[in-house]
Every structure is written in structure tokens, then in C-alpha cells.
Amino acid sequence: MSGASSEQRRNVRTAVVWDDLQEMLGGDGGSAPLDVLDIGGGTGVSAVRVAGLGHRVTVVDPSPDALASLGRRAREEGVEVVAHQGDLSALLAPEGPVAPGSADLVLCHGVLEHVPDPAAALGTLREVLRPGGTLSLLVAQRHAAVLARAMAGHFGQALALLDPGSPEAGGGRAGRRFTHDEVAALLDGAGLELLSVHGVRVFADLVPGSLLDLEPGATAALLELETAVATRPEYLPLATQLHLLARA
């Protein structure tokens, strides 16, 4: 896949998430600055973008290398992002990086799959949020993983993924995967009100990268299609990820 195609595919994959957050984050300078926590924010792709919109952003990530990359990215973009090395389990420790009730918005993208106890993790994030604050949760979805394994010819892995209690479904390098009902129940158990669910990467992972290079207008058309199906419940099972917004 060429560099241009890779960048185009990346934009398609993230557009739905940013569309969901647009109303809250603004971008025209008219909205008040928010206190934003990006847990597992890594190299700061999201954090720097949010800081560029005028918000106060804190990133917590266990990797010192990722945080170093975040610092370079923030300097290049001329924004300030506060960075702490740590993980979700110690977020509210006595000497932890954040205080209870300190965030208007928490970004938890691609993190819940890798924590030992998702219910406890969401409970912690609920404590971090101010009353009325919002959690942006992006998780890998099991149904799409079954489809991807089957299409790749890994039928045994696809079969194992059907069982949520199997090792294949519950961990490994790729992490845990969730269905809509599972993650909705976890949010409810943590005292978070589910506001919306959108499918992310319904078709983007299935389209050959060469098509985006060779077919004029293909990227724009794919983005339009992804946006159109993101809110349709019948397409949620095909989405590689689910983006959920929930209110404290």
C-alpha cells in the first residue's frame, strides 16, 4: 500500500469518531475550553488534535517512548499537552496523575480491550468525569473479528471467537473484543448513560488499498459510505470498532 493510500485509509477510519466528537469539541473557537483526559493516548495523534482546538489535554500512557513522540508532535504543532507515564489501574491512586471529577471529556480509544477488568476500568473513568461529563469509548468488536478471520481462511480462530469466554475472544495480542450488548451493559454497570453508538470501519478494512490509489474519487466515496452506515444498527455487526459516547 502506498503512503498516500495509507493516509487516505487512516482518514476514513477515524472520520466517524471525529464527527461524533465535533459538537462537543467545536473547532471554530466558539466553545469553552474543556479539560480532556486521553487515557492510553500514546504518541498523541488525538491529544494534539484536541489541544489544537483550544482544549486543556492530559495524556496518560505507560510507554515512555510513546510519550516522547507525543512531546515532539506537540512541539511541532505548537500546542501544549500534559503527559504522565502510567496506566488506568493507577489513575486515581493517592499520587496518581489525575483527580476524581476533574475531566469534562475522557477519551478511551483502544484501551478497554487490554485491561484485566473492563468493569473496574469503566468505574474508574466514571470517577474521573465531572457530573455531566462525557466518555468517548472506542472498542474492537467481536462480530467483525469473526468475519475477518473467516475471510482470511482462519476458520478455527473464527469459530473460537464466537465464544466470548474463549482465550481467543478474551485476550491475546489483539486484546479482548466486545459486542454492542456487552459494552452497553458494562457502561450501565459503571453508572454511565449511553448516548450514542456508531459503527467505525464498516467497509474501510475490506476495501483493497490499491483501489484508493487507482480509482479517482474512491476515498471520498468510501468516506461518504462509512458515514452513511455508521448510525444504521443493521451494519453495527460488520464494524471493526464501535464508538460509544456515554454521560456521567
Side-chain angles (χ1 to χ4, degrees):
M1 185 186 303
S2 74
S5 176
S6 177
E7 179 65 24
Q8 290 167 338
R9 187 183 288 264
R10 197 158 39 240
N11 291 339
V12 170
R13 285 171 168 170
T14 59
V16 168
V17 175
W18 289 105
D19 284 349
D20 288 353
L21 293 171
Q22 181 63 36
E23 182 177 350
M24 175 177 296
L25 293 174
D28 56 4
S31 57
L34 302 176
D35 291 310
V36 180
L37 170 66
D38 189 354
I39 183 72
T43 60
V45 174
S46 296
V48 168
R49 181 171 180 172
V50 173
L53 297 174
H55 303 290
R56 298 177 291 268
V57 184
T58 298
V59 171
V60 176
D61 193 280
S63 168
D65 291 339
L67 294 178
S69 295
L70 160 64
R72 289 191 295 270
R73 188 189 300 272
R75 288 191 295 273
E76 289 170 0
E77 296 296 325
V79 299
E80 182 178 351
V81 176
V82 177
H84 295 281
Q85 186 178 352
D87 58 31
L88 211 160
S89 64
L91 202 59
L92 292 175
E95 297 182 3
V98 298
S102 61
D104 300 301
L105 171 65
V106 171
L107 306 181
C108 182
H109 295 173
V111 173
L112 201 66
E113 294 91 330
H114 303 284
V115 300
D117 187 343
L122 288 176
T124 297
L125 296 181
R126 170 65 180 82
E127 289 188 57
V128 171
L129 285 165
R130 293 184 174 123
T134 301
L135 170 65
S136 170
L137 183 65
L138 186 66
V139 297
Q141 195 213 177
R142 185 180 310 122
H143 298 314
V146 172
L147 177 63
R149 295 293 189 280
M151 291 183 66
H154 303 308
F155 305 120
Q157 293 179 18
L159 184 62
L161 274 170
L162 293 174
D163 177 7
S166 72
E168 179 69 20
R173 283 185 69 184
R176 188 180 286 103
R177 298 161 183 88
F178 301 90
T179 65
H180 168 270
D181 290 346
E182 288 167 352
V183 72
L186 285 168
L187 289 169
D188 183 64
L192 290 158
E193 177 191 359
L194 181 58
L195 301 176
S196 66
V197 183
H198 286 167
V200 178
R201 295 159 56 188
V202 175
F203 300 113
D205 291 353
L206 304 176
V207 174
S210 57
L211 187 149
L212 300 182
D213 281 335
L214 301 175
E215 188 70 27
T219 300
L222 176 58
L223 176 56
E224 183 179 6
L225 179 61
E226 287 281 350
T227 303
V229 300
T231 58
R232 297 193 181 191
E234 64 268 30
Y235 287 94
L236 284 182
L238 298 177
T240 300
Q241 295 173 303
L242 300 176
H243 183 230
L244 305 98
L245 293 179
R247 182 165 53 209

